[in-house]
Structures are given as structure tokens and as C-alpha cells.
Amino acid sequence: MALPIAVNAMGGDNAPAAIVEGALRARTDGIDVMLVGRREQIEPLLGGAPVEVIDAREVVEMHEHPATAVRAKRDSSILRAAELVAAGRAGGVISAGNSGATLAAALFAIKRIAGVARPAIGASFPSEAGQTFVLDVGANTDCKAEWLAQFALMGDVYAREMLGIDQPRIALLSNGEEAEKGSELVQAAHPLIAALPLRFAGNIEGKDIFRGACDVVVTDGFTGNAVLKVAEGVGEFLFASISREARASLSGRIGGALLKPRLRPLRDRIDYRKTGGALLLGVAGEVVIAHGRSDAEATLNAIRVAARAQERGVSSVITRAMSTAPSAQPAQPTGVSA
Amino acid sequence: MALPIAVNAMGGDNAPAAIVEGALRARTDGIDVMLVGRREQIEPLLGGAPVEVIDAREVVEMHEHPATAVRAKRDSSILRAAELVAAGRAGGVISAGNSGATLAAALFAIKRIAGVARPAIGASFPSEAGQTFVLDVGANTDCKAEWLAQFALMGDVYAREMLGIDQPRIALLSNGEEAEKGSELVQAAHPLIAALPLRFAGNIEGKDIFRGACDVVVTDGFTGNAVLKVAEGVGEFLFASISREARASLSGRIGGALLKPRLRPLRDRIDYRKTGGALLLGVAGEVVIAHGRSDAEATLNAIRVAARAQERGVSSVITRAMSTAPSAQPAQPTGVSA
């Protein structure tokens, strides 16, 4: 039976109003939710809907140091929400708040899966063929080759379970397609991934993410974050420029008005805020990191991702994959670098 | 007096025809050019124009290992073209061929500027405010913090001389704006750049490149290459998607037809092939690396960039900046990693 999804009602630029609204819409969609945060701020937004509210008095702010704040604020909404998953009361958690704090709370309360050196954050990008899942997009700023190999395994599970792809093509982000190309890190990771029991497509370049050449792209969290932010920046720039062009002349205005309804879904696709945020892979529960600027729709989509992850048992499948993987690393102490 | 620009007529997917055509158009624009490559392939394309052709019998192919090929092929068009600059016969060189080979030939024939640890490749991206110059986009896959500090100095010179900006704002690409964010490399480079006599805007994220928050963005060649290729990929994806939407319905077709002439310049702006390629900074001459798929127009633009770099004396200004910079490093042995 599906457990409710714990929603950090206090996280994000538009919290709590937009977050609560998104949660109520998820409920209408048949997804059970729990709202975590300051009861007196949440309850007036419910409009009488019978949603369970878990009171938490503290909030980790966007500017706070994630791990320090989570350790200091034991009654923070993000930590309480993660604890609900750890206690088996919630089937997953979503937060649009401080993303490092979400990672820290997940590590602190839900814990890493045995054998996972570092959890990774994965995000989906649109491609000519549908979508491409990229990980890590920010959890681990400096990576070791062995971690990238584990990201490959976890990405393989994600694509099978969440995207329904039988034999996902896994690629390594590099600065050229040839096997000998890449940073020292990429060159060290290449043979490790090639030795794994998955369909390794070799090195790809950044442009290939959007061409549908593969299903999963593995990279370190620093480069992955640059990929995420550059895609966001180019998308914003182009749509702003198109809007400007569509206003600049009569023919542009008519053309823009006719084309606009068709461009909106496209704009949403390139904006990962609308596509449900990013899934944290490698912790023993389903954790979704939504964009800080999430509105109600983005919150709804993030809750959908968490519900689907619960339904498919993504963290359980990763747990099994790690216990049998030839390259599974022994558990190591881990910190939070995001 | 301006010297001619040496054009590698054999480099690029569309060589020699498109390259020669671009060179002829530059000549019409008042830029003197020399064409380097197999005489019997170039001369029939000149249509009688009195352009000097420098015969070179060999060609470095796209798949060849750059440094090895340049060392082995002493009569390659790219090496001969670089030698013309070194000999003071040409004022700059452009090539759309193997970009690693262009870098290798520049290092081999033209040499690094004294004090420059590693030359860097810089590329311009469009922004809300005009353009943002990013370096390194691919010359140095693994970087040291001191190299990034030198990239900052060279980027400062570029923005002053090539873009005419009085006090360019120089930023460091990171995974967050806070000074403590970033990989070990970025954290080590931050104080080095802050200590330089330039206007340091601190850390920025990938999306800020396209928002015009700064004039120059410093990064390592692996991340910079990802930025370049992701921007290319997102641009291609979005314009292909917009074209598809504009064909999918009657209103879309009418809207697309009305908007199309306004979108083309925008498409060109996001495509660095059209904007003249990338300038190699840190060698003792003006070297432009054009896109492998350069057509005649892209070739023309690359030649314009080289001519402007010669006019502004970019490599001379960098030479002076390096000789006075507090952080200028002693010359070190260098290889080619691109």
C-alpha cells in the first residue's frame, strides 16, 4: 500500500502557499500527502481539506550552511519530513527549500544505502528522443572515479524503473567522444563503467544530452551543475529573446500570438522546475529536490515523481543492485558538499 | 600596417570550398588574406582573385591525435599557417580543422607568451546585455588554480581590447554564488583572482553567463567545454522544436512564417560557429579556432575576429599584462591536452 508523500511546506521561494496548493492538487490526483512545517501557517491554507499536518517549528533558510543548519535545527521542517520516511510513515519526501539541506537531512535521517559511497542528484533534460537523465547535478562537487561508476549503476536503475527503458544506454560526459578523451577523473571512470553489467555507450559531449543519443549521462556534481544551469540559462535567454522579437513588429506580434500556445509546452519541457525536480539517488528512501522557485504546478510534479519512485521502489532496487554489483564500494564516511 | 590573415584552407568539414569562399569575402571586406594548403585544390576556387597561396602538402585530419600529428606532419597546412605568423608574414591565423592541432601548431610555431603557464581558448556567448566571454572552453582539460588566475588576466585583456569594455567584470564559474562554494579548484582559484588588479565579480553560476551579469567568465577547459556544448545542444534542440511546432498546424505555419525572419539572427547568435569561433589566448600571435562545421560566413567571421585581434594587438597587450602581473607564473613545460 502506498504511503503518503511528506511535503516540506516551508521550503522554497513560494512557501508555504504554493507548496500547499501543489500538495492539495496532488491529493486531488489521488496521491496521499502529509504537510510538514509550522501548523499555524499551513492549516489556514488547507481550505478544510483533511490533510495531515506534522508540526515542525524551525525552517532551514536558503542562505544557511546545509549540514550545519540541519544538525542545529532538530525541529526543522526538512529534517522532520525526512524522519517520516525513515520511520516508515511516509513513502517519500519532497522539498523546494535549501537543496543542500534536503541532501543533509536525507543522509542524516534516511541514511545512505549500504555500499553507496555518495548519493547523487539526478535531473531529466528534454531530448529529440524524449528525455535524458543526468547525474550528479550537484550533490558532490569533487568526485572520485568509483563514485561515477556507482552513479552509472544508480542511473541505470532510474531509467529502468522510472522511465521503463529495458536496457538503458549509459554514457559518460566528456570533452570528446573518443575513449581517451576527458579529464583525469573521466579517464579513470571510463574503464570502471565499461566493466559494469550495463549498456555503456562510452563518452558523449554536452550537446548529445539534447540529441537523445543515450538515456543516462554520468558526470561529477560540479560539471553536472554547470550543465543544469547552462541549460536553464540558454532556455531563459532564448525564450526571452523570442518574446522580444515577437513584440518588435506587427508581423512578429501576429506570428508570436499564433505560435505562442505551441511554444509554452516546449518552454516547460526545458525548465526542470516544471518537470518535477531532481531525484536523490543512493539514500534508503525516495527524496525529490524541487526547484527553489517551485510554484504549485512544479510542486505537484515533484510529488508525482516521489509517488512514482515509491511505486517502483527505486531505492529498494538500488539497494539490491548495490549488493550484487561487482564494483560496489565498501561504505565510507560521507559529508555534504552541496 | 596590417599583415594578411593566414587561413588554413584545408581545415574543417567544408574545406576547401567554403573556407576559400569565406576568405574571398573577407578580402572584399578589406581584410588581406593568405590561403594555406594544397595549391592545386585552392587555386581553382579563387576565380582569378589575386590571393597569395602558400603551398602545404599535408593535412591534419579531424580524428588524428593533435600534438602527434602536428609533430609528424611538418608540411601540414595548419603548421605552415602558424609558421607564417611566427615569421611575421601573417598577422594572425584561422583554422576550422582539428582544434587540438591548431592549438598544438600555435604552441609549436608561435610559442607561448612568457609567463603564461597555459594558453586558453575563449568563446563568446550571447547574453541579455550583449555578450559574455568564457575561457577556457577546451584547451586545458585538467587545470591548476594558478592557470585560472591567468585566464582571468587574459580574459580581462580580451574584454578591454576586443569588446571595448573599460573595466570588465570578471567572474569565476562555480556551483553557487557564495565565495565558499565550488570545487577544490574553484575554491583555490577564488582568492588568487581576487588578488589580481581587475574587477572581480566573484562566483557565478552557469545560467548567469546568459544574463549578462559579467563580461568574462573563467573556468577550466573541461567545464568550459561542457558549457559550450550544452549551449549548442540546447540551442539546436529548441530551434528544431520550434520549427516542428511551426509546421504542426495551420496557425503554427502562419505564425512560424511571420516570425522566422526575426528568429534567424537569434539562432545565429546562439551558434558560436556564426560568431567567429574562439580566440586562443596566451600565445604570441592571434589564433582563431573556428568551428569544424564552418561555412563561408563562419569563416568570414573568424577572419574578422583575427583581423580585429591583430588591429588591437591582443597578444602584445597580454604579453605586457603578464610581465607586470603579480601572479604571473614562471614558464613551465606545457603539453597539449585538448
Side-chain angles (χ1 to χ4, degrees):
Chain A
M1 197 195 76
L3 294 166
I5 302 301
V7 176
N8 174 11
M10 313 307 291
D13 299 348
N14 305 313
I19 308 296
V20 171
E21 188 193 331
L24 292 176
R25 285 169 61 182
R27 203 173 150 274
T28 311
D29 266 20
I31 302 173
D32 199 9
V33 292
M34 305 165 95
L35 287 160
V36 187
R38 293 190 182 118
R39 186 181 296 280
E40 71 279 11
Q41 286 182 256
I42 297 168
E43 281 182 344
L45 299 166
L46 293 178
V51 174
E52 185 171 5
V53 177
I54 308 293
D55 195 42
R57 306 308 309 162
E58 294 177 291
V59 174
V60 176
E61 305 292 346
M62 294 305 256
H63 65 269
E64 289 190 88
H65 185 275
T68 309
V70 167
R71 276 189 210 99
K73 295 183 167 176
R74 293 304 171 109
D75 198 24
S76 67
S77 55
I78 182 58
L79 186 57
R80 290 291 181 222
E83 285 170 350
L84 291 169
V85 175
R89 290 188 59 202
V93 53
I94 81 120
S95 177
N98 184 319
S99 60
T102 306
L103 175 59
L107 288 168
F108 195 71
I110 306 177
K111 315 286 185 198
R112 275 179 300 134
I113 288 169
V116 170
R118 296 284 176 123
I121 299 170
S124 287
F125 293 87
S127 81
E128 295 293 336
Q131 59 181 298
T132 307
F133 186 69
V134 179
L135 78 169
D136 178 18
V137 298
N140 308 284
T141 305
D142 289 290
C143 286
K144 294 182 178 170
E146 293 75 19
W147 305 356
L148 296 194
Q150 291 197 335
F151 299 168
L153 281 173
M154 297 195 295
D156 185 60
V157 170
Y158 180 92
R160 286 172 192 272
E161 301 300 329
M162 295 290 283
L163 309 178
I165 299 168
D166 246 358
Q167 297 211 27
R169 295 157 301 167
I170 317 291
L172 181 60
L173 184 64
S174 189
N175 56 341
E177 289 178 9
E178 305 83 353
E180 70 278 8
K181 279 283 180 98
S183 59
E184 288 171 16
L185 174 67
V186 165
Q187 291 188 35
H190 194 281
L192 299 182
I193 299 175
L196 293 173
L198 48 75
R199 189 171 164 198
F200 184 39
N203 289 349
I204 59 145
E205 295 186 293
K207 62 189 171 198
D208 300 314
I209 294 169
F210 307 91
R211 288 178 174 173
C214 59
D215 304 300
V216 175
V217 174
V218 171
T219 187
D220 66 274
F222 184 82
T223 310
N225 190 263
V227 169
L228 188 78
K229 300 292 172 60
V230 166
E232 186 180 348
V234 173
E236 279 179 10
F237 169 78
L238 282 178
F239 281 110
S241 303
I242 290 168
S243 295
R244 200 165 40 237
E245 292 304 324
R247 282 192 309 267
S249 70
L250 181 62
S251 66
R253 280 197 294 279
I254 298 168
L258 291 169
L259 209 51
K260 204 172 181 181
R262 306 200 68 97
L263 295 187
R264 196 165 295 132
L266 182 61
R267 185 171 188 158
D268 288 355
R269 273 191 81 197
I270 199 76
D271 188 342
Y272 74 108
R273 277 165 283 185
K274 305 279 182 170
T275 60
L279 193 63
L280 179 62
L281 297 174
V283 292
E286 318 308 340
V287 180
V288 175
I289 298 173
H291 198 288
R293 285 179 288 170
S294 288
D295 55 15
E297 191 196 343
T299 303
L300 167 63
N301 286 332
I303 295 170
R304 281 183 178 144
V305 170
R308 176 156 175 81
Q310 178 186 198
E311 184 192 319
R312 304 298 305 173
V314 170
S315 60
S316 304
V317 180
I318 290 177
T319 304
R320 284 199 299 278
M322 283 298 149
S323 67
T324 57
S327 85
Q329 296 292 306
Q332 291 166 14
T334 182
V336 173
S337 59
Chain B
M1 196 198 76
L3 295 167
I5 302 302
V7 176
N8 175 10
M10 312 307 291
D13 299 347
N14 305 314
I19 308 297
V20 171
E21 189 192 331
L24 291 177
R25 285 169 62 182
R27 204 174 150 273
T28 311
D29 266 20
I31 302 172
D32 199 10
V33 292
M34 304 166 96
L35 287 159
V36 187
R38 294 193 182 115
R39 184 182 297 279
E40 70 279 11
Q41 287 182 255
I42 297 167
E43 281 183 343
L45 299 166
L46 292 178
V51 175
E52 186 171 3
V53 176
I54 308 295
D55 195 42
R57 308 306 310 161
E58 294 177 291
V59 174
V60 176
E61 304 293 345
M62 293 305 256
H63 65 269
E64 288 190 87
H65 185 276
T68 310
V70 168
R71 275 189 212 99
K73 295 183 168 176
R74 293 304 171 109
D75 198 23
S76 67
S77 55
I78 182 57
L79 186 58
R80 290 289 181 225
E83 284 170 351
L84 291 169
V85 176
R89 290 190 57 202
V93 54
I94 80 121
S95 176
N98 183 320
S99 59
T102 306
L103 175 59
L107 287 168
F108 196 71
I110 306 176
K111 314 286 185 198
R112 275 179 300 134
I113 289 169
V116 170
R118 297 285 176 124
I121 299 170
S124 287
F125 294 87
S127 81
E128 295 292 336
Q131 59 181 299
T132 307
F133 186 68
V134 179
L135 77 168
D136 178 19
V137 297
N140 307 285
T141 306
D142 289 290
C143 285
K144 295 183 178 168
E146 293 75 17
W147 305 356
L148 296 194
Q150 291 197 336
F151 299 168
L153 281 173
M154 297 195 294
D156 185 61
V157 170
Y158 179 92
R160 286 172 191 272
E161 300 300 328
M162 295 288 283
L163 309 178
I165 300 168
D166 245 359
Q167 297 211 27
R169 295 158 302 166
I170 317 289
L172 182 60
L173 184 64
S174 189
N175 55 340
E177 288 178 10
E178 305 83 352
E180 69 277 10
K181 279 280 180 100
S183 59
E184 287 172 17
L185 174 67
V186 165
Q187 291 188 35
H190 194 282
L192 299 182
I193 299 175
L196 293 173
L198 47 76
R199 187 173 166 196
F200 184 40
N203 289 350
I204 58 144
E205 294 186 293
K207 62 188 171 200
D208 300 314
I209 295 169
F210 307 90
R211 288 178 175 173
C214 59
D215 304 300
V216 175
V217 174
V218 170
T219 188
D220 66 275
F222 185 83
T223 310
N225 191 263
V227 169
L228 187 78
K229 300 293 172 61
V230 166
E232 186 180 349
V234 173
E236 279 180 8
F237 170 77
L238 282 178
F239 281 109
S241 303
I242 290 167
S243 295
R244 199 164 40 235
E245 292 304 324
R247 281 192 308 266
S249 70
L250 181 61
S251 67
R253 280 197 294 279
I254 298 168
L258 290 169
L259 208 51
K260 203 172 181 181
R262 306 200 69 96
L263 295 187
R264 196 166 296 132
L266 183 60
R267 185 171 188 159
D268 288 354
R269 273 191 81 197
I270 199 77
D271 187 341
Y272 74 105
R273 278 165 282 185
K274 305 279 183 173
T275 61
L279 193 63
L280 180 63
L281 297 175
V283 292
E286 319 307 341
V287 179
V288 175
I289 298 174
H291 197 289
R293 285 178 287 171
S294 289
D295 55 14
E297 191 195 343
T299 303
L300 166 64
N301 286 332
I303 294 169
R304 281 184 179 143
V305 169
R308 177 156 175 80
Q310 178 186 199
E311 183 191 320
R312 304 296 306 172
V314 170
S315 60
S316 305
V317 181
I318 291 177
T319 304
R320 283 200 299 279
M322 284 296 149
S323 67
T324 58
S327 85
Q329 295 293 305
Q332 291 165 15
T334 184
V336 173
S337 59

